[in-house]
Amino acid sequence: MTQEELFKKLIAHSKEYGFIFQSSEIYDGLAAVYDYGQLGVELKNNIKKYWWDSMTKLHSNIVGIDTAIFMHPKVWEASGHVGAFNDPLIDNKDSKKRYRADVLIEEWVAKQQEKINKEVEKARKRFDEFDETMFRQTNPRVAAYQEKIDAANNEMARTLEANDLVGVKALIENLEIACPISGTRNWTDVRQFNLMFDTKIGSVTEGANTIYLRPETAQGIFVNFLNVQKSGRQKIPFGIAQIGKAFRNEIVARQFIFRMREFEQMEMQFFVAPGTELKWFEHWKQFRMNWHKSLGFGDASYQFHDHIKLAHYANAATDIEFKFPFGFKEVEGIHSRTDFDLSRHAEFSGKKITYFDTEKNESYVPYVIETSIGVDRMVLQVMSAAYKEEKLEGGDIRTVLAIPAALAPVKVAILPLVKKDGLPELAAKIIDTLKFNYNIQLDEKDSIGKRYRRQDAIGTPLCVTVDHDSINDNCVTIRHRDTMKQERVAISELPQIVENEVGFTAMLKKLL
Ligand code: GAP
């Protein structure tokens, strides 16, 4: 199965089993907006719990808050979003399709990269002892492609940095980039497009005020820095965490829930003394990478992408990238944001935002390390790493979601062998012992084999079969999703067995 096929299957599977639906589907959908179904919401809530607990419970100096989506419009002037949260867009006059100009150029670069990869693969087949590094450095055709790539990247960086939109269009024309729909190069001028959604607060006749749907949750933390620090008597270094919705009017909406217009973020701002920020940046970089790796999808599925060109307010930044079916892409950003945000809010609000350090006996504006991760990208990460089609002995294929047990939407399926002879009643008693701590599903229809397949397909780690012997020996058969091994255990032992297998504690302990 190619990665493209895998991705298509994953999207279909997500819908078929109630994980993710297109928003407003009966009206033909709303682009880049998705709804989570009955299983999707459980998975999402478990991911959020794992993140929240790893931040707030494992760190005595991190607290959580929940701030409003609507904020005073000046917040977004201070943060720089009104002036600079833009994407350069361009339209094709024939197809009437709109594109992000930088994405068109990036896609052109990716095509050149593919040509290089093809040259490498051809050469690998030709030579027995193939030195790929040497080939990449010395082959003239590869060098020519690489030269074109470097020139395009440099020109894109230069023009975007200088806000030279005429230059961006000229680059698209020089690279002879055509619209994938119409095939023509009949482009409009490039213009800047602000990604924030706006709306009006108050009735229009009373003098409406434009406000924005927040494009990140971070600003709700910055404007509450003093409230939390003072009311919680927090001492630096300390952090404030928040999970919440964010909204961006993305021009290019693609790749399922990877790039959405309404999405959810989990952000943590860690306030530190000036001069210590790069040490903390390294600390959070490692902690967050370990968090991802603790999910067990394999270390090779992750990489850092350190930013060479930094935003004007940052003095270090990196992305954690995950290997999605469409390549390595960002799931989380870790940024050393200096004192930019707090200083700007002090300037725009006219309020003093400083911290008095009793050890140093001085006041300063704290520096900030931010960790910022998309909940939806995490759902996509988990789903794409977990989806497997396994060939069984006898040739059957089983589709299984090998979701980390603690994150699985349904933790245990209880399967009474038949719907009579007291088995449903015993199944109900077992559910009563587990349901306060875990999401349990009762599955009574079809053969046990079919029920196992159904539970595999939604990632249920444990299936518990209640049979006629269970009435007398008070034992049940547990079947494990990943190994498909079965064992007979006492009903009284079930709560402990389930906790050991699907509880959050083991995963959280890996982070210490
Ligand atoms: N406060 C910093 C900030 O918002 P960002 O890199 O723009 O930084 C952080 O976003 C994370 O939010 C990304 O790593 C990604 O996981 C998620 N994210 C951003 N835009 C998104 C979108 N349109 N759809 C889904 N997730 C998105």
Side-chain angles (χ1 to χ4, degrees):
M1 186 167 38
T2 65
Q3 290 297 297
E4 208 171 308
E5 284 164 351
L6 167 75
F7 194 44
K8 277 193 188 142
K9 283 193 173 182
L10 190 67
I11 296 171
H13 192 89
S14 300
K15 180 177 175 192
E16 187 182 347
Y17 286 92
F19 282 86
I20 300 159
F21 308 123
Q22 177 72 60
S23 160
S24 321
E25 196 185 0
I26 58 168
Y27 293 99
D28 294 334
L30 185 63
V33 186
Y34 290 89
D35 297 335
Y36 285 86
Q38 64 279 16
L39 295 183
V41 69
E42 294 289 341
L43 171 60
K44 200 176 174 205
N45 285 343
N46 291 337
I47 289 171
K48 289 196 270 186
K49 178 174 166 51
Y50 184 43
W51 182 86
W52 187 262
D53 288 357
S54 69
M55 284 296 176
T56 62
K57 286 192 182 160
L58 296 193
H59 297 94
S60 57
N61 60 351
I62 298 182
V63 292
I65 58 170
D66 181 24
T67 70
I69 287 170
F70 293 145
M71 300 182 75
H72 195 287
K74 274 202 166 175
V75 167
W76 306 110
E77 283 175 42
S79 67
H81 284 82
V82 170
F85 195 51
N86 298 326
D87 275 344
L89 68 85
I90 189 166
D91 292 351
N92 182 270
K93 290 183 195 165
D94 299 317
S95 68
K96 312 269 183 271
K97 283 276 165 201
R98 179 163 291 174
Y99 299 92
R100 256 175 69 177
D102 53 334
V103 170
L104 282 179
I105 298 166
E106 276 166 12
E107 283 174 350
W108 179 90
V109 166
K111 276 192 196 138
Q112 310 308 305
Q113 201 65 56
E114 268 170 40
K115 289 181 187 167
I116 293 182
N117 293 345
K118 276 195 187 139
E119 293 289 341
V120 171
E121 287 319 308
K122 263 198 295 185
R124 194 191 305 284
K125 284 184 191 142
R126 265 206 317 273
F127 304 111
D128 288 340
E129 305 240 321
F130 180 61
D131 182 340
E132 183 176 330
T133 315
M134 176 73 89
F135 180 80
R136 282 179 184 272
Q137 282 166 356
T138 54
N139 180 274
R141 263 200 300 269
V142 170
Y145 286 131
Q146 193 58 51
E147 207 172 300
K148 281 204 232 165
I149 290 174
D150 293 343
N153 275 336
N154 289 341
E155 182 61 2
M156 179 168 74
R158 186 196 70 73
T159 49
L160 289 177
E161 172 106 325
N163 199 21
D164 171 9
L165 300 183
V166 174
V168 177
K169 182 178 180 189
L171 179 59
I172 289 175
E173 286 170 339
N174 291 342
L175 297 176
E176 301 186 344
I177 295 174
C179 165
I181 309 283
S182 66
T184 70
R185 291 188 236 136
N186 194 7
W187 296 110
T188 61
D189 288 341
V190 178
R191 23 200 218 293
Q192 289 291 15
F193 176 78
N194 193 287
L195 295 183
M196 283 197 295
F197 285 101
D198 61 30
T199 186
K200 302 273 183 270
I201 201 163
S203 94
V204 176
T205 46
E206 281 165 16
N209 247 328
T210 297
I211 57 164
Y212 300 98
L213 298 188
R214 65 180 176 198
E216 61 172 16
T217 61
Q219 298 304 324
I221 295 179
F222 289 124
V223 299
N224 277 294
F225 165 75
L226 281 183
N227 283 338
V228 175
Q229 190 268 317
K230 293 210 161 105
S231 61
R233 300 190 320 279
Q234 297 289 349
K235 289 222 171 325
I236 272 178
F238 78 95
I240 305 178
Q242 154 150 256
I243 298 178
K245 288 269 184 165
F247 303 83
R248 295 182 190 177
N249 198 0
E250 300 283 359
I251 304 163
V252 185
R254 273 183 319 183
Q255 289 152 338
F256 195 33
I257 55 169
F258 182 81
R259 195 173 298 287
M260 301 158 85
R261 296 200 165 109
E262 173 180 344
F263 58 101
E264 215 167 348
Q265 288 185 317
M266 306 189 279
E267 299 202 294
M268 194 276 298
Q269 312 295 324
F270 198 70
F271 300 93
V272 303
T276 64
E277 72 276 11
L278 292 180
K279 181 189 86 181
W280 284 110
F281 174 74
E282 279 308 317
H283 168 86
W284 283 108
K285 222 176 127 170
Q286 297 313 325
F287 184 86
R288 293 304 308 147
M289 183 57 109
N290 289 345
W291 186 90
H292 286 274
K293 289 183 176 172
S294 72
L295 300 174
F297 300 142
D299 291 4
S301 302
Y302 301 94
Q303 67 186 21
F304 283 117
H305 173 242
D306 293 333
H307 294 204
I308 296 161
K309 196 179 147 289
L310 294 167
H312 59 281
Y313 54 78
N315 64 3
T318 195
D319 296 335
I320 294 178
E321 295 185 337
F322 175 74
K323 197 172 181 195
F324 288 101
F326 40 85
F328 272 103
K329 296 274 176 204
E330 174 188 345
V331 281
E332 172 155 8
I334 296 138
H335 314 119
S336 174
R337 296 179 71 126
T338 67
D339 59 354
F340 174 80
D341 301 271
L342 292 182
S343 300
R344 291 277 288 190
H345 286 306
E347 184 189 332
F348 278 70
S349 67
K351 306 276 174 354
K352 191 171 158 211
I353 306 181
T354 53
Y355 169 81
F356 182 71
D357 193 321
T358 45
E359 276 168 31
K360 292 186 172 156
N361 201 25
E362 65 179 32
S363 283
Y364 52 76
V365 180
Y367 273 43
V368 172
I369 306 301
E370 165 182 77
T371 72
S372 174
I373 174 171
V375 180
D376 312 273
R377 285 195 192 170
M378 273 310 299
V379 172
L380 190 58
Q381 175 185 148
V382 171
M383 292 290 281
S384 38
Y387 184 91
K388 291 188 174 61
E389 289 179 5
E390 287 179 357
K391 199 164 192 174
L392 302 176
E393 279 174 30
D396 275 3
I397 303 282
R398 79 157 179 157
T399 302
V400 57
L401 287 184
I403 298 175
L407 303 185
V410 176
K411 299 291 191 289
V412 187
I414 308 287
L415 321 176
L417 196 58
V418 289
K419 267 209 237 170
K420 56 182 181 182
D421 305 335
L423 302 194
E425 289 75 10
L426 183 55
K429 270 194 200 157
I430 294 173
I431 290 174
D432 281 347
T433 64
L434 298 172
K435 70 181 180 194
F436 299 100
N437 294 320
Y438 313 101
N439 193 28
I440 310 292
Q441 200 173 79
L442 173 70
D443 194 351
E444 295 183 304
K445 271 204 208 103
D446 300 320
S447 68
I448 291 290
K450 272 198 185 156
R451 288 186 243 176
Y452 282 163
R453 289 291 163 278
R454 241 187 339 253
Q455 295 300 330
D456 286 344
I458 63 169
T460 308
L462 298 171
C463 286
V464 170
T465 302
V466 182
D467 56 27
H468 289 95
D469 289 341
S470 306
I471 305 275
N472 302 317
D473 66 4
N474 278 318
C475 288
V476 285
T477 302
I478 285 201
R479 184 260 196 186
H480 299 262
R481 177 194 68 199
D482 297 338
T483 58
M484 291 188 284
K485 289 227 167 85
Q486 300 184 13
E487 56 180 329
R488 195 84 183 153
V489 302
I491 292 173
S492 59
E493 286 173 19
L494 268 182
Q496 193 56 55
I497 294 173
V498 171
E499 179 55 28
N500 292 348
E501 289 250 353
V502 310
F504 276 92
T505 312
M507 236 158 75
L508 286 167
K509 276 188 177 165
K510 281 194 219 164
L511 300 175
L512 296 174

